[in-house]
Amino acid sequence: MKLFSKERPDIPIVNHLKADGTEWTVKEKLWLGLSVSEYKKQFFRNPVNWLMIAIFAVGVPLIVGRYIFGLGWVTHASNDYPWGLFLGFGLFGMVPLSASGFMLGTTVELFGRKDFHAIERLALLNGLLGYFFAVLFLEVDLGMPWRLPYPMFVSLGPAAVLFLVAWHVATYLSVQIAEVLPAFFEWIGWLKGKRIIRKYVLGLTVAGIILSTLHQGALGALFTYAPAKVHPLWLSVNFQWIHFFCSSIFAGLSMVIIASTLIKNFMGWRCDDEFKDNLDYITIGLAKGASYAMITYLIIKIVAVAHDQEWSYLLTGWGSYYMLELGVAVVLPMFMFAIGIRNKWVTLIRFGAFIAAFGIIWNRLNTALICYNWQMYQEIPHWKEVWITITIYSLYFLTYRFIVYRLPIVYGWKGEK
Amino acid sequence: MKKLFSRRNFLKGGLATTAAAAVLKNKETKASGDFEGYPDGMGVLVDLTRCVGCRSCEAACNKEQELPEPAKPFTDFSIFDEMHHGQKRRTDETAYTVVNRYDVPELDHPLFRKFQCNHCQEPACLTSCFVNAYTKTPEGAVIYNSKVCVGCRTCMIACPFYVPTFKYSSAFSPKIMKCVFCYDTRLKEGKAPACVEACPQEALTFGKRVDCIDMGRQRIRETPGKYVDHIYGEHEVGGTAWMYLSSVPFDKVGFDTHVPKEPIINSVKDFLAMVPMVLTIWPGLFVGFHLLATRKEKMMEMEKEKELAKQKATDEKEEQV
Ligand code: SF4
Ligand code: SF4
Ligand code: SF4
């Protein structure tokens, strides 16, 4: 894409009008203003796409097989380990990394921090896609995927934590769609729709905070159903929901830092000056927010150990593993953020964000898989399970890129406002 | 404080404010969460000292529940040596109950333990299921409705005894499979379950749960030294319908002695109590923040408007002059 964006003045599309004054059709916008053969050329020139093709070549048949031969064909999930990688990574890992939507929505719309405006849409999109794909992971994992709406409409068990998760994720997903729609409306040129949504932005944002607090917390609370199964260091019956909620804050912020870094480096042609010029400043701001959340998280983690009287566990092998997790996943990035903020070293912050995001996934996998049934035996995911997980994640990546290429996410739409 | 905060009350309170409550016209919701147990519920007392590991109960269950024929016949006792992931045999989609052998050093003979769903008084499987697939019947059985189950397998996470099993082998009609206390075929009519009836040693005794407890206490009292002074299941996770007597400490014969004494749902309470608070406090709080945060801007705008108005007025005056 870089090639074309340099050579052709009307690409990338940021306006309804072509250079010669005629209007782009939606179809032309979809092809990024290229002819089909040009589009193909740019697609196959990109080595990332070849990697994707390789992943899908194996992954898609595996997914099809899962729906024909059953879950047992692709996973090691068992009667002792009902939740494997699909949920451990796809649901418990993806959802906190998608907390960026409500974080930035709140910052910009609610607290009126207009200086973060340039990244708001990216954060919203990151949130929306993260949730959407978490549901997709769920669809692979559910025994009866066709019954996804049952907890909503057919048979309700409102006293169950998962009921809250289901309802909140579903409603929040629609809130997020509404929040991302204005970008879409600008792109197709339907300004009325945008204005309608503008009116409800505050309501949507507040709804977003409520729903996020509750279901990020609820994901943690799910493990309180298994007080005797998860290792005590990873499960604090009283604080689990706060741990999950609080860590989702820096997870979401780190994830936007990562996404914006990747976009700036690999899609520079798509970003406008507002985005590019402000990004370093914004990244520092995001890191500030994240480090506050991290210090809070660290404190409540220690409070939980103290409250449950678990000091002696810290001296065991599991204890060392626990400290390793906290050290690498929280303390290290926290210091990187702190030093980065102080000296305005944005690159250090960006590395820190990568580590923090990895750390969150690690923590969720620890809770859901590695430290689950710690007294029994260790479950090792099946290779097909790993491959399917990577396949769906690649689909997530492609969708993300597809949208950022086109919609005004990291650039402002020119023309009628 | 405890009384004030009984689960029943607070779930009601929680529900009233839950956004979803609006759509709850379902009568069955009563069954979830706030179940108190039935006084006339039935139970089974399993006496480990009487069990000889003949596996008759396994065979009877297999027949009664129309489960697939096992790879090895029920008369094959080599299965007692089988280990999976370092664990003894467990129930799965082909067996609702299994008997395991335990060699206890201080005894000159092995002990056997029959294992199946314990039919808890306040079942974790039931309270964790978000589509209400489980029901605790007045007779004491915990049964499952495969027609509404989504296959999320949370019930398997929640059951402290690792009982519910999932039919992973099926893509089109998977379901949760576990002992159902022979509810449809026997319990409903007041009859003893197939496994109990099949036991030649009378290691299993079927009766009202309260009577089972009495009988257990009586046996402990009347034969001093024979049993440890504990009925496993009387209080574990809030009480179970199936209970056990043993001659050795329970952790030596495969029982988890770390399961909480209270129902599992109690550990989820903290979170559930927080839900209505967030729902009611957050909106006000954050709208307030918003007003505070944007006040400066608004004031500035107002100032500007005032300036403009003044300007206009002076302009007009000047014009008049
Ligand atoms: S033993 Fe497990 S499956 Fe059986 S009733 Fe209790 S929680 Fe449910
Ligand atoms: S697997 Fe089925 S029965 Fe178990 S919690 Fe999920 S929906 Fe309920
Ligand atoms: S009660 Fe019925 S279903 Fe349960 S183990 Fe005994 S025979 Fe099987």
Side-chain angles (χ1 to χ4, degrees):
Chain A
M1 235 6 248
K2 241 185 257 161
L3 192 79
F4 293 101
S5 63
K6 251 184 232 141
E7 282 170 2
R8 304 244 309 259
D10 47 343
I11 290 175
I13 302 174
V14 291
N15 201 327
H16 295 302
L17 300 180
K18 292 183 202 170
D20 59 9
T22 52
E23 268 193 35
W24 292 110
T25 63
V26 170
K27 199 167 147 206
E28 283 170 319
K29 285 182 192 162
L30 267 180
W31 289 108
L32 300 169
L34 303 175
S35 69
V36 176
S37 64
E38 281 174 325
Y39 189 87
K40 263 194 204 147
K41 208 168 108 198
Q42 68 93 19
F43 185 85
F44 289 116
R45 230 168 36 99
N46 188 345
V48 176
N49 291 339
W50 287 102
L51 178 67
M52 296 286 139
I53 291 170
I55 292 173
F56 285 115
V58 180
V60 172
L62 288 183
I63 295 178
V64 173
R66 177 255 172 267
Y67 287 102
I68 298 174
F69 306 116
L71 261 179
W73 189 69
V74 294
T75 74
H76 276 170
S78 60
N79 293 325
D80 297 329
Y81 281 88
W83 289 344
L85 208 54
F86 298 146
L87 293 189
F89 174 81
L91 185 73
F92 293 106
M94 290 283 269
V95 169
L97 290 182
S98 313
S100 60
F102 89 91
M103 293 303 309
L104 266 292
T106 311
T107 313
V108 178
E109 304 298 340
L110 233 116
F111 293 111
R113 288 291 298 269
K114 298 267 156 57
D115 44 339
F116 286 98
H117 183 258
I119 208 156
E120 189 193 356
R121 280 193 176 171
L122 182 62
L124 291 174
L125 178 72
N126 182 66
L128 172 63
L129 289 182
Y131 276 87
F132 182 77
F133 277 84
V135 176
L136 221 60
F137 272 108
L138 192 66
E139 275 294 83
V140 176
D141 190 71
L142 278 186
M144 299 74 152
W146 56 92
R147 288 187 185 161
L148 190 68
Y150 270 39
M152 316 274 145
F153 308 112
V154 179
S155 177
L156 312 183
V161 171
L162 197 62
F163 182 80
L164 293 175
V165 177
W167 268 91
H168 291 160
V169 168
T171 33
Y172 186 45
L173 203 54
S174 22
V175 167
Q176 289 197 318
I177 292 175
E179 286 179 326
V180 174
L181 269 180
F184 178 70
F185 289 152
E186 281 176 8
W187 185 71
I188 58 165
W190 192 54
L191 284 184
K192 198 169 157 228
K194 194 186 151 189
R195 255 179 270 126
I196 295 172
I197 291 192
R198 229 21 261 175
K199 265 194 239 157
Y200 298 107
V201 158
L202 187 63
L204 288 174
T205 313
V206 174
I209 311 178
I210 298 171
L211 295 169
S212 300
T213 314
L214 288 177
H215 74 240
Q216 295 282 2
L219 286 179
L222 274 179
F223 291 98
T224 58
Y225 279 117
K229 293 184 181 176
V230 184
H231 190 286
L233 285 173
W234 279 269
L235 180 77
S236 153
V237 163
N238 308 83
F239 298 108
Q240 196 70 4
W241 74 269
I242 312 185
H243 287 168
F244 269 51
F245 172 66
C246 188
S247 53
S248 79
I249 293 178
F250 62 80
L253 295 178
S254 299
M255 187 65 190
V256 220
I257 297 182
I258 295 172
S260 60
T261 304
L262 294 178
I263 288 174
K264 191 182 166 217
N265 285 333
F266 298 103
M267 282 186 225
W269 58 271
R270 182 70 282 187
C271 311
D272 66 3
D273 292 340
E274 196 206 345
F275 184 81
K276 274 191 271 190
D277 297 343
N278 283 318
L279 194 57
D280 285 0
Y281 164 81
I282 290 178
T283 304
I284 293 176
L286 295 176
K288 272 187 204 157
S291 21
Y292 285 127
M294 284 167 147
I295 192 92
T296 317
Y297 177 69
L298 268 183
I299 293 172
I300 53 178
K301 281 295 252 195
I302 297 169
V303 167
V305 173
H307 179 273
D308 300 346
Q309 297 288 332
E310 284 159 353
W311 299 109
S312 58
Y313 281 111
L314 288 178
L315 301 174
T316 63
W318 286 102
S320 318
Y321 185 59
Y322 181 74
M323 311 258 247
L324 184 73
E325 187 205 296
L326 276 191
V328 174
V330 191
V331 179
L332 176 66
M334 195 172 78
F335 273 109
M336 291 169 86
F337 282 172
I339 298 169
I341 296 166
R342 220 187 152 142
N343 304 305
K344 305 230 168 340
W345 292 341
V346 186
T347 317
L348 188 67
I349 292 182
R350 294 190 169 131
F351 274 115
F354 270 101
I355 298 175
F358 155 80
I360 282 297
I361 294 181
W362 188 21
N363 169 263
R364 301 305 196 252
L365 284 179
N366 277 341
T367 316
L369 218 60
I370 299 166
C371 309
Y372 187 84
N373 284 347
W374 61 292
Q375 284 158 310
M376 266 182 141
Y377 60 93
Q378 258 12 85
E379 174 73 48
I380 296 157
H382 197 287
W383 73 268
K384 289 181 191 163
E385 192 175 344
V386 177
W387 201 290
I388 291 182
T389 308
I390 297 176
T391 308
I392 300 177
Y393 199 75
S394 308
L395 190 65
Y396 162 80
F397 173 82
L398 285 182
T399 317
Y400 211 132
R401 196 181 64 179
F402 179 89
I403 295 176
V404 175
Y405 269 15
R406 291 164 179 82
L407 299 192
I409 302 291
V410 291
Y411 69 93
W413 191 255
K414 300 237 170 52
E416 353 87 312
K417 282 266 165 189
Chain B
M1 192 60 209
K2 262 237 156 90
K3 268 239 172 80
L4 255 175
F5 218 63
S6 92
R7 179 168 42 263
R8 173 169 281 167
N9 282 337
F10 109 83
L11 274 179
K12 264 189 204 148
L15 284 182
T17 38
T18 301
V23 283
L24 292 181
K25 283 179 204 103
N26 200 330
K27 310 179 243 34
E28 279 165 76
T29 51
K30 189 173 109 286
S32 72
D34 58 351
F35 175 75
E36 297 284 327
Y38 293 99
D40 292 334
M42 305 305 283
V44 173
L45 185 70
V46 185
D47 191 334
L48 262 57
T49 63
R50 296 185 180 181
C51 177
V52 292
C54 69
R55 301 183 68 207
S56 310
C57 52
E58 282 189 48
C61 175
N62 178 278
K63 197 164 149 235
E64 179 78 17
Q65 298 298 331
E66 293 165 1
L67 295 171
E69 200 179 319
K72 291 182 186 167
F74 288 108
T75 46
D76 184 341
F77 299 114
S78 68
I79 48 110
F80 287 141
D81 298 317
E82 273 177 22
M83 292 295 246
H84 309 270
H85 294 288
Q87 307 288 315
K88 293 198 186 285
R89 286 195 312 146
R90 60 155 297 150
T91 58
D92 59 23
E93 58 184 86
T94 63
Y96 289 173
T97 184
V98 296
V99 178
N100 279 325
R101 188 189 68 212
Y102 294 86
D103 298 301
V104 188
E106 50 265 42
L107 294 181
D108 51 0
H109 58 88
L111 282 176
F112 296 91
R113 174 179 74 130
K114 176 191 186 297
F115 169 70
Q116 71 301 304
C117 172
N118 283 332
H119 299 278
C120 307
Q121 297 296 93
E122 294 201 51
C125 55
L126 184 153
T127 44
S128 71
C129 177
F130 71 149
V131 290
N132 246 329
Y134 287 94
T135 313
K136 175 93 179 167
T137 73
E139 298 86 350
V142 176
I143 55 169
Y144 157 85
N145 172 5
S146 68
K147 292 209 174 61
V148 298
C149 170
V150 182
C152 68
R153 312 196 288 291
T154 311
C155 48
M156 298 166 68
I157 297 276
C159 171
F161 305 113
Y162 294 87
V163 166
T165 69
F166 187 69
K167 207 172 165 193
Y168 283 103
S169 59
S170 164
F172 304 110
S173 58
K175 59 179 171 184
I176 295 286
M177 301 181 78
K178 70 163 195 79
C179 155
V180 288
F181 218 153
C182 291
Y183 180 72
D184 283 325
T185 47
R186 289 162 170 270
L187 190 70
K188 227 169 29 186
E189 289 143 32
K191 283 197 277 181
C195 55
V196 173
E197 205 176 82
C199 180
Q201 291 298 107
E202 286 181 25
L204 315 173
T205 318
F206 173 75
K208 271 194 190 169
R209 180 174 187 268
V210 282
D211 296 339
C212 288
I213 297 175
D214 277 349
M215 184 195 304
R217 291 223 183 93
Q218 199 181 350
R219 277 190 213 169
I220 293 173
R221 206 172 43 233
E222 284 175 0
T223 44
K226 187 172 181 200
Y227 300 101
V228 290
D229 186 12
H230 181 66
I231 303 175
Y232 190 94
E234 185 180 356
H235 298 299
E236 273 75 11
V237 294
T240 56
W242 281 63
M243 290 164 293
Y244 303 82
L245 284 179
S246 164
S247 52
V248 297
F250 282 95
D251 52 350
K252 296 203 170 140
V253 271
F255 287 87
D256 185 348
T257 46
H258 298 291
V259 294
K261 291 282 170 290
E262 308 160 67
I264 294 292
I265 185 73
N266 284 11
S267 71
V268 190
K269 262 183 180 171
D270 272 359
F271 173 71
L272 291 176
M274 181 278 291
V275 172
M277 303 229 270
V278 168
L279 280 172
T280 46
I281 298 172
W282 261 218
L285 198 63
F286 282 91
V287 171
F289 280 151
H290 173 70
L291 293 179
L292 276 178
T294 48
R295 204 172 71 160
K296 224 159 93 200
E297 267 167 52
K298 288 239 172 71
M299 301 250 281
M300 261 152 62
E301 258 167 45
M302 268 158 61
E303 290 286 305
K304 238 189 236 160
E305 269 168 30
K306 264 190 215 157
E307 292 272 296
L308 276 178
K310 240 191 238 162
Q311 191 84 25
K312 226 175 160 187
T314 43
D315 282 357
E316 272 168 15
K317 248 184 216 162
E318 266 167 28
E319 244 166 55
Q320 276 173 4
V321 173

